[in-house]
Amino acid sequence: MSPHRNGSLSVMPLQEFVLDGFQGGLQTQALLFALFLALYLVAVMGNLTMMVVITLDARLHSPMYFFLKNLSFLDLGYSSVIYPKMLTDLLSSSKVITLGGCATQFFFLSLFLTTEGFLLAVMAYDRFVAICSPLRYPISMCPSVCARLMLGCYCGGCLNSILQTSFTFSLPFCSSNHIDHFFCDVPPLLRLACADTIISELVMFGLCGLIIVGTTLVVLTSYGYITVTILRIHSGGGRHKLFSTCGSHMTAVSLFYGTLFVMYAQPGAVASMEQGKVVSVFYTLVIPMLNPLIYSLRNKEVKDALWRLGQKHTMVERGGALSGWRAQLPALCPILPGSLAP
């Protein structure tokens, strides 16, 4: 494709970008590699553990844990879209990513993040029905309803991702191909565009603002009704248990929506790209690492499920050792009393 002119600026169709990432010497890069690798491994192990436990333990086959398993999958998804590439770049002098690779990374990042935003609202609605209408809960949140709600989350995330990716990567980019970030994201990409970016910015801020405000209203409304219902409970123990569960959920929701609102729904909120990188690390790595702890590992049912799986694994190992010992018994004792000649 031949270059074209945009005013006095020559615009070359770029085929690759360079992710500048975090600045610093070799020692700084090595320290960052160790830090991010540790955080990423904790996030992967925590979310994989939750998915495995919920899948294997029949007592956790309920709507709440169905949504939690999908939350772990989404957390694992968008952290894995970014950090394997970022860790490789920290150890490499070449930090190149192709145009297609950049668009693919951004598409899946947007897909997983948007889907999680919708899922958090669905989880709040699930708790609202469970606490405020417990008799209707088995019907209102039956497996088919849960599957449709989850499908709707993914469809909404996919639609937003398609729109964001299309508007961003249809822009012509200038001859500078250095992205001042450690992954492909809209704000640093818009800085490289040669054309007017007002439409792309309006699309990004409009869609993100609509999604964040809409889902936040669902969460706040659900927890408003939940709070009123809990306050009517006379049992102190029951009230404390419900407040504890809802408080954990609200903490995670506030962290997730707060960082996304600062990054994408409020123009000019992030003063510099360095500040944006720190905020990005928080919502793409720290939150996926914390979610298994906030939502699940503090949950007594999950702890009991982990203990049951541990016990089952121990029994299987003991059973295998016993079977092996029995199999070796004839070889160890070839002549038994019953086989002796009279």
Side-chain angles (χ1 to χ4, degrees):
M1 188 181 296
S2 60
H4 60 275
R5 305 284 300 181
N6 184 8
S8 61
L9 181 64
S10 178
V11 182
M12 295 291 294
L14 299 176
Q15 297 302 316
E16 62 183 25
F17 295 102
V18 177
L19 296 169
D20 289 340
F22 290 95
Q23 303 301 316
L26 290 177
Q27 187 174 2
T28 302
Q29 298 291 306
L31 182 62
L32 289 174
F33 176 84
L35 174 63
F36 288 131
L37 178 62
L39 293 176
Y40 177 64
L41 290 177
V42 172
V44 169
M45 292 304 298
N47 286 291
L48 280 179
T49 299
M50 288 311 309
M51 293 169 63
V52 170
V53 169
I54 293 172
T55 300
L56 296 181
D57 196 297
R59 301 186 189 185
L60 300 183
H61 291 177
S62 65
M64 182 177 77
Y65 291 106
F66 169 74
F67 294 132
L68 282 175
K69 182 167 73 171
N70 279 275
L71 179 70
S72 292
F73 170 74
L74 293 171
D75 284 341
L76 183 62
Y78 68 75
S79 59
S80 296
V81 165
I82 296 174
Y83 286 92
K85 168 64 177 170
M86 180 214 184
L87 291 169
T88 302
D89 288 344
L90 286 172
L91 298 180
S92 173
S93 57
S94 175
K95 303 181 180 182
V96 173
I97 184 170
T98 64
L99 179 63
C102 189
T104 301
Q105 185 187 60
F106 175 74
F107 175 84
F108 282 103
L109 175 65
S110 179
L111 169 64
F112 289 132
L113 283 175
T114 308
T115 303
E116 181 162 329
F118 287 125
L119 177 58
L120 290 174
V122 169
M123 292 172 66
Y125 173 74
D126 170 69
R127 292 298 84 204
F128 159 73
V129 178
I131 295 173
C132 299
S133 303
L135 297 179
R136 295 173 50 195
Y137 184 70
I139 299 175
S140 300
M141 299 301 292
C142 64
S144 61
V145 171
C146 292
R148 287 197 294 269
L149 288 172
M150 200 64 241
L151 180 62
C153 292
Y154 281 104
C155 289
C158 188
L159 178 60
N160 177 66
S161 185
I162 290 173
L163 291 173
Q164 297 275 10
T165 306
S166 300
F167 275 95
T168 301
F169 287 89
S170 63
L171 293 170
F173 296 102
C174 297
S175 56
S176 174
N177 63 343
H178 283 258
I179 299 176
D180 190 15
H181 215 308
F182 58 90
F183 65 93
C184 293
D185 200 9
V186 172
L189 282 169
L190 292 181
R191 296 189 176 193
L192 304 181
C194 297
D196 188 2
T197 62
I198 185 64
I199 295 179
S200 296
E201 290 180 11
L202 286 175
V203 169
M204 182 185 74
F205 295 133
L207 285 175
C208 291
L210 181 64
I211 292 170
I212 292 174
V213 171
T215 52
T216 301
L217 285 176
V218 173
V219 171
L220 292 178
T221 302
S222 298
Y223 275 98
Y225 282 105
I226 289 173
T227 301
V228 173
T229 302
I230 291 176
L231 291 176
R232 293 175 180 171
I233 298 177
H234 299 291
S235 169
R239 183 184 300 177
H240 174 75
K241 181 180 178 181
L242 291 176
F243 264 128
S244 176
T245 303
C246 296
S248 298
H249 188 196
M250 284 301 296
T251 300
V253 168
S254 300
L255 292 173
F256 182 80
Y257 285 140
T259 52
L260 290 186
F261 185 80
V262 169
M263 281 296 297
Y264 300 112
Q266 194 176 4
V270 178
S272 67
M273 286 311 303
E274 292 302 316
Q275 182 181 349
K277 293 174 190 178
V278 175
V279 176
S280 297
V281 169
F282 191 79
Y283 76 81
T284 60
L285 185 58
V286 176
I287 289 179
M289 181 190 68
L290 292 177
N291 273 346
L293 300 175
I294 294 174
Y295 281 106
S296 306
L297 297 182
R298 291 178 58 192
N299 187 307
K300 186 178 183 302
E301 292 178 338
V302 175
K303 289 181 179 180
D304 291 343
L306 286 169
W307 183 84
R308 286 193 295 270
L309 286 177
Q311 291 293 105
K312 184 177 180 181
H313 180 69
T314 302
M315 291 178 64
V316 169
E317 285 188 342
R318 290 177 178 175
L322 183 59
S323 299
W325 180 80
R326 288 176 175 173
Q328 295 176 5
L329 187 59
L332 295 174
C333 304
I335 302 177
L336 297 177
S339 65
L340 295 175

